[in-house]
Amino acid sequence: MILASKSPRRQELLRYITNDFTVKTANVDETLPEGISPSEAVLYLSRIKAAPFENENDIVIGADTVVAIDGKILGKPLDSADAEDMLRRLSGRTHSVFTGVTVIKNKEYHSFFVETKVTFFELSQDEIKRYVLTKEPLDKAGAYGIQGYGSLLVEKIDGDYFNVVGLPVSKINRLLSSI
């Protein structure tokens, strides 16, 4: 099995299914088409990440996760100020985390996405600044990691926790069992 992702979190989560995988990545242009919805975006990105390994005699898994609020995708922050802006937008509100997954087996593409709703507590400016100082938000979509210090910001979730971390393992496991 090939995991087409450098994410250490995805590697850790895939180990719940199997330890028999290798990590391979290709440089792909992740520029999104204009006007694409968050669910379409993660499907598109998961496909282009998996596609370079289609011809390998193995199962390939590509995945991508985005955070969206008010229909707008929040990517990884550019810097600390951008992370603070994103966290202010999420403060006291419910947003969606979408992960798209593409599994390729025998050149057949099987794609799906999972959406999880996450509600943040109302955050003070001091809480936001303290969290950004941990540096955790700087490489995370939406400027937070639910599996780390970012868990302290979350009031509740509705849906798959592992989807928010970056890989909906139960749904992938079921798909792998059926193909």
Side-chain angles (χ1 to χ4, degrees):
M1 187 175 298
I2 297 169
L3 176 62
S5 174
K6 292 181 282 201
S7 165
R9 290 164 298 284
R10 287 196 183 102
Q11 294 168 38
E12 179 183 329
L13 292 174
L14 187 56
R15 286 188 186 97
Y16 289 140
I17 299 171
T18 183
N19 284 313
D20 188 19
F21 68 91
T22 57
V23 173
K24 294 185 179 182
T25 59
N27 269 345
V28 294
D29 179 4
E30 295 188 36
T31 305
L32 293 171
E34 191 68 34
I36 193 168
S37 72
S39 60
E40 293 169 325
V42 293
L43 288 172
Y44 171 78
L45 292 168
S46 72
R47 284 185 190 124
I48 67 169
K49 289 179 176 184
F53 309 104
E54 173 186 306
N55 291 320
E56 306 230 3
N57 292 327
D58 218 335
I59 294 171
V60 180
I61 299 173
D64 198 81
T65 303
V66 300
V67 171
I69 191 161
D70 302 326
K72 182 181 181 332
I73 295 171
L74 303 181
K76 293 179 182 179
L78 303 172
D79 54 27
S80 294
D82 193 29
E84 287 183 25
D85 287 344
M86 286 184 192
L87 292 166
R88 275 192 290 279
R89 285 188 72 181
L90 299 175
S91 175
R93 299 187 61 205
T94 300
H95 61 275
S96 292
V97 178
F98 293 88
T99 299
V101 176
T102 295
V103 176
I104 306 172
K105 182 178 180 185
N106 299 325
K107 296 190 180 187
E108 283 188 30
Y109 284 61
H110 307 270
S111 296
F112 66 87
F113 74 89
V114 174
E115 177 182 6
T116 302
K117 300 281 190 181
V118 179
T119 303
F120 270 20
F121 287 105
E122 192 72 43
L123 305 174
S124 70
Q125 189 56 36
D126 186 52
E127 285 175 295
I128 291 170
K129 284 192 177 299
R130 269 198 322 264
Y131 180 54
V132 172
L133 284 173
T134 70
K135 304 284 190 224
E136 184 179 270
L138 298 181
D139 72 337
K140 310 275 190 301
Y144 76 96
I146 197 168
Q147 71 281 4
Y149 296 113
S151 63
L152 303 175
L153 313 177
V154 176
E155 182 176 3
K156 66 180 179 177
I157 70 168
D158 181 14
D160 184 342
Y161 167 81
F162 293 108
N163 179 57
V164 183
V165 179
L167 201 66
V169 288
S170 59
K171 189 153 183 180
I172 292 171
N173 187 54
R174 290 185 176 273
L175 175 61
L176 291 171
S177 297
S178 72
I179 60 172

